[in-house]
Amino acid sequence: MKNKRPLILISNDDGYQAKGINSLIEMLRDMADLLVCAPDSARSGYACAFTANDPLRLQLRREEEGVQVWVSNGTPVDCVKLALSQLCTERKPDMVIGGINHGDNASVNTHYSGTMGITMEGCMKYIPSVAYSICDFSADADFEPLRPYIRHITAKVLAEGLPRGVCLNVNFPVVERYQGVKVCRMAYGTWSREVVKEHHPRGYDYYWMVGHYSNDEPERDDTDNWALAHGYIAITPTRMDVTAYEAMEQVAGLVKSLP
């Protein structure tokens, strides 16, 4: 790889063969050297999980000018940890990117998302990090409309960085024409009817994790859910520090009488 160019570490939670991550490689390969380390198959919903009890494997699957693609049997966060510790010993990435994810990661989905797990892991290593997702779960989703926005955001973050402890969660709606870009907060939302119970012919019950999402503040126009529903690209600055500073005084009052 060319050491004079920036180095971007890319991973995803849909697997290294997914169209989203391969579209991202094609969008950015002229802008930077790309080190891709992704799961060998889909790992959606793994959030920040990492593997503690099983051995991990790491294989080089593809190498071209300015692009290396490595594959692991681990989680998305495992992939970032492996890449940083084993593949970046002489050169720290200038940026970490998760995606492009098939399906949105807005609202509380942020907490479940393996794509955001990648981005939070990069952020915890103090590397400017961005997650890109589209509101389309199709394996053959059309990522081409995202190209100029992803290239612009990536170039700006490479040039200017991000505040310490802050990463970006970028979600794209599926519309004929974007209404614009909104920097917004994460909406409050709730998942319900999350478990479907079935009975196996061999005599035992089994369960599917599914669910129905509800936006709990649909009229609030400062949220990511509102932006996406109205055709805007939603960018949510997301903090590594999850301390509820506004609640510290109240909690201090709760423990004031403790010995």
Side-chain angles (χ1 to χ4, degrees), residues 28-46:
L28 301 181
R29 63 184 303 159
D30 67 322
M31 295 174 56
D33 287 339
L34 305 180
L35 175 61
V36 181
C37 187
D40 55 13
S41 59
R43 301 286 195 279
S44 294
Y46 273 65

Side-chain angles (χ1 to χ4, degrees), residues 152-223:
H152 180 83
I153 293 168
T154 300
K156 292 289 283 185
V157 172
L158 282 173
E160 301 177 12
L162 289 169
R164 181 182 173 94
V166 173
C167 57
L168 299 183
N169 182 12
V170 184
N171 287 276
F172 293 84
V174 179
V175 290
E176 289 187 7
R177 181 176 178 275
Y178 296 129
Q179 296 300 307
V181 179
K182 286 184 73 71
V183 178
C184 45
R185 66 175 176 86
M186 185 176 75
Y188 281 94
T190 307
W191 282 93
S192 61
R193 306 195 297 275
E194 295 181 271
V195 179
V196 172
K197 180 180 178 181
E198 302 285 357
H199 188 75
H200 198 278
R202 293 184 177 176
Y204 59 87
D205 294 331
Y206 64 97
Y207 306 87
W208 289 104
M209 300 301 293
V210 287
H212 174 76
Y213 175 77
S214 296
N215 180 1
D216 294 336
E217 42 182 356
E219 302 306 318
R220 294 295 300 268
D221 62 5
D222 61 340
T223 72

